[in-house]
Amino acid sequence: MSALSQKLFLYQLANRADRVSRVFRQPAVIQKCSEHRASVLFNRPRFFNCIDQTVVNPLAAFLSKCSSDNNLKLLLIGSINTNKKNPTFGTGADLIKGWKIIDQKLKKNTISTEDRLYLINFYRSQHLLHHLSRHVTTVSLLDGITMGSSVLFGLNSKFSVATENTIWAAPEVTIGSVPDVGTIYHLKQLPGNIGKMLALTGTKVRGMEVVGLGLATHFCQSKFVPELNTELQNSTESDFEDVLNKYHEMSKYEDEKIKTKTSKLKTISEENFQPSDISEILFKLKSENCSTQLDQLHWAAPLSLKTTCRLFTEISTTDYDQALLQSYKVAGNIYFCPEMKRGIEAALLSGGKKKPDWKMKTLADVPEDLVEFCFQNDFKEGIMTLEQLTDRNTENPY
């Protein structure tokens, strides 16, 4: 049995045991709603709170229900953490689930109904949260690792709270993908090209840095999060922001290293990540001897770098739903190029410590017509319409 097959087999066993045990334990996503207050807790700590169908399908259904509740005042989003050494809010989509979808598509040229429901509910959940945040106070408590598409819970909430445990990153280019589910809609709106730098390099930012770069609205020490949660639940609507501000003031601290790092990242982004062409960005970084960013870009898939740069140029920043549809089309096409499967396999086997063996090893190896294909191709089962995206019946696949 190959190392990859063994990894997949062990994961399947662990996943099956986890699902069986749910008969006696709380579900993979814990949802509560009472007295105009609602909460969501991600509860797959054994799997670093990654999102599979046992999370996203009930989550989309719950958010759909919340969006129809005209009396709802507060939605809190958090996570269950049993690993105190590496607390996790969420690590985005389940990589093995993604690998299986890609493998089936490449072998049989089809995506199952179950998987199409999983994919569209990923998008529906963020559509619902984004629109819910317009009239409900939504708060995401990012107490731990927050990576991949899980960053969207913070970005689509009205308020988001980082702690000293927060490690924020959008590392999709390192597995041959692109920041997906409308992530670039938000990152493009950050000042000084900081969002483009984060998307292209997968840079990890921590704690107070997350607030300093505009990726969270508040900071709270992890030990105060339970108190913050309780006080929000017991406050009136007019006091929600005041409560968040109080805990922010209690928790924030001055750290010259954090200030220096944040300032340096802003300067590098502003001076080097303006060009729409990744080759020009690389030229600028080399001329400025930005070795850290160059090393990070070296790990990324060249196809992902080119596609992400173009998506930054073309993504809508005025209509989130349109951005979701654009994002789905590009991501859907790039998923079924050979690079993402290679990237996921490398991540599974080396834990991100070994660079994937990309088929297209340099930017010059990436044909422009392949990038064009990612933006234009309507692949089989790949067309997601606005009507399907906004369908409140979350049991309907696209």
Side-chain angles (χ1 to χ4, degrees):
M1 182 182 290
S2 70
L4 178 63
S5 297
Q6 186 178 25
K7 192 88 173 181
L8 294 170
F9 176 72
L10 291 174
Y11 173 83
Q12 189 172 353
L13 282 181
N15 207 23
R16 189 173 298 166
D18 182 70
R19 291 187 188 185
V20 169
S21 71
R22 295 290 176 188
V23 175
F24 310 102
R25 298 188 295 126
Q26 296 270 35
V29 57
I30 303 169
Q31 306 154 348
K32 295 180 181 178
C33 188
S34 64
E35 298 182 356
H36 316 317
R37 309 287 193 268
S39 64
V40 168
L41 286 173
F42 300 119
N43 187 30
R44 295 187 81 214
R46 184 177 182 181
F47 302 95
F48 301 100
N49 286 326
C50 69
I51 302 170
D52 69 354
Q53 67 272 23
T54 67
V55 175
V56 81
N57 289 342
L59 173 65
F62 184 70
L63 291 176
S64 180
K65 179 182 177 182
C66 287
S67 67
S68 301
D69 184 351
N70 294 326
N71 295 315
L72 186 66
K73 304 301 181 186
L74 175 69
L75 171 64
L76 290 171
I77 302 174
S79 59
I80 298 292
N81 277 307
T82 54
N83 186 339
K84 300 303 179 184
K85 188 176 180 181
N86 293 301
T88 305
F89 171 76
T91 51
D94 186 325
L95 286 184
I96 292 181
K97 174 74 172 173
W99 185 92
K100 289 181 176 180
I101 293 173
I102 294 170
D103 188 58
Q104 182 188 51
K105 173 69 174 175
L106 294 176
K107 287 179 178 177
K108 300 181 180 180
N109 193 31
T110 188
I111 305 174
S112 71
T113 301
E114 175 186 317
D115 290 339
R116 283 186 285 119
L117 181 62
Y118 165 75
L119 291 171
I120 194 169
N121 277 339
F122 232 109
Y123 284 76
R124 279 182 183 142
S125 62
Q126 295 305 327
H127 153 80
L128 289 163
L129 178 58
H130 182 81
H131 289 274
L132 197 60
S133 296
R134 293 178 177 178
H135 58 88
V136 172
T137 299
T138 53
V139 182
S140 284
L141 304 170
L142 312 178
D143 187 20
I145 298 168
T146 305
M147 291 188 179
S149 52
S150 287
V151 306
L152 282 155
F153 292 100
L155 295 174
N156 277 321
S157 292
K158 186 172 183 178
F159 300 110
S160 52
V161 181
T163 74
E164 71 275 14
N165 295 326
T166 306
I167 303 174
W168 191 106
E172 286 88 343
V173 294
T174 64
I175 60 164
S177 184
V178 294
D180 194 7
V181 202
T183 302
I184 291 178
Y185 167 91
H186 294 285
L187 295 184
K188 187 176 178 179
Q189 297 181 63
L190 295 176
N193 313 309
I194 193 74
K196 185 186 284 189
M197 184 277 293
L198 293 170
L200 290 172
T201 62
T203 297
K204 294 177 182 178
V205 291
R206 305 166 188 267
M208 284 284 288
E209 298 165 4
V210 181
V211 179
L213 294 177
L215 301 165
T217 59
H218 293 80
F219 182 80
C220 178
Q221 290 184 37
S222 183
K223 65 182 180 181
F224 294 140
V225 167
E227 295 175 34
L228 170 61
N229 196 325
T230 300
E231 193 162 340
L232 284 169
Q233 294 276 15
N234 294 329
S235 297
T236 60
E237 185 178 8
S238 60
D239 291 334
F240 292 149
E241 189 169 2
D242 289 339
V243 171
L244 289 164
N245 289 339
K246 182 181 84 170
Y247 280 87
H248 178 79
E249 291 301 318
M250 285 170 52
S251 301
K252 72 177 184 179
Y253 57 91
E254 298 294 326
D255 188 313
E256 287 303 316
K257 287 184 178 180
I258 291 175
K259 282 186 176 180
T260 301
K261 180 182 175 182
T262 303
S263 177
K264 185 177 180 180
L265 287 175
K266 288 180 177 179
T267 299
I268 289 172
S269 300
E270 190 165 3
E271 294 181 353
N272 300 284
F273 282 83
Q274 176 63 32
S276 58
D277 189 313
I278 185 62
S279 298
E280 293 181 37
I281 292 173
L282 285 167
F283 178 81
K284 281 178 168 286
L285 290 170
K286 288 174 183 176
S287 66
E288 296 292 329
N289 294 316
C290 299
S291 58
T292 299
Q293 286 71 35
L294 287 168
D295 288 344
Q296 291 168 326
L297 291 168
H298 174 71
W299 274 72
L303 173 62
S304 296
L305 293 176
K306 280 196 168 186
T307 308
T308 299
C309 268
R310 179 163 167 182
L311 195 53
F312 258 91
T313 300
E314 297 192 7
I315 199 87
S316 170
T317 55
T318 58
D319 187 327
Y320 185 62
D321 289 342
Q322 286 302 318
L324 284 173
L325 296 176
Q326 287 174 287
S327 179
Y328 178 78
K329 187 170 188 175
V330 174
N333 281 308
I334 204 171
Y335 284 172
F336 304 117
C337 294
E339 304 298 54
M340 189 169 174
K341 193 176 182 187
R342 290 170 180 243
I344 292 176
E345 289 172 1
L348 293 175
L349 294 176
S350 74
K353 296 178 182 178
K354 184 178 178 182
K355 179 182 176 181
D357 182 22
W358 305 121
K359 183 176 182 180
M360 292 164 277
K361 300 184 186 303
T362 68
L363 293 173
D365 294 334
V366 181
E368 288 302 322
D369 59 355
L370 179 56
V371 177
E372 185 69 21
F373 175 87
C374 288
F375 281 81
Q376 301 300 330
N377 179 53
D378 289 325
F379 62 93
K380 180 187 176 187
E381 301 154 321
I383 302 172
M384 185 189 297
T385 65
L386 183 61
E387 182 181 10
Q388 292 168 328
L389 174 67
T390 58
D391 187 352
R392 296 297 173 87
N393 183 350
T394 59
E395 294 183 1
N396 286 337
Y398 69 93

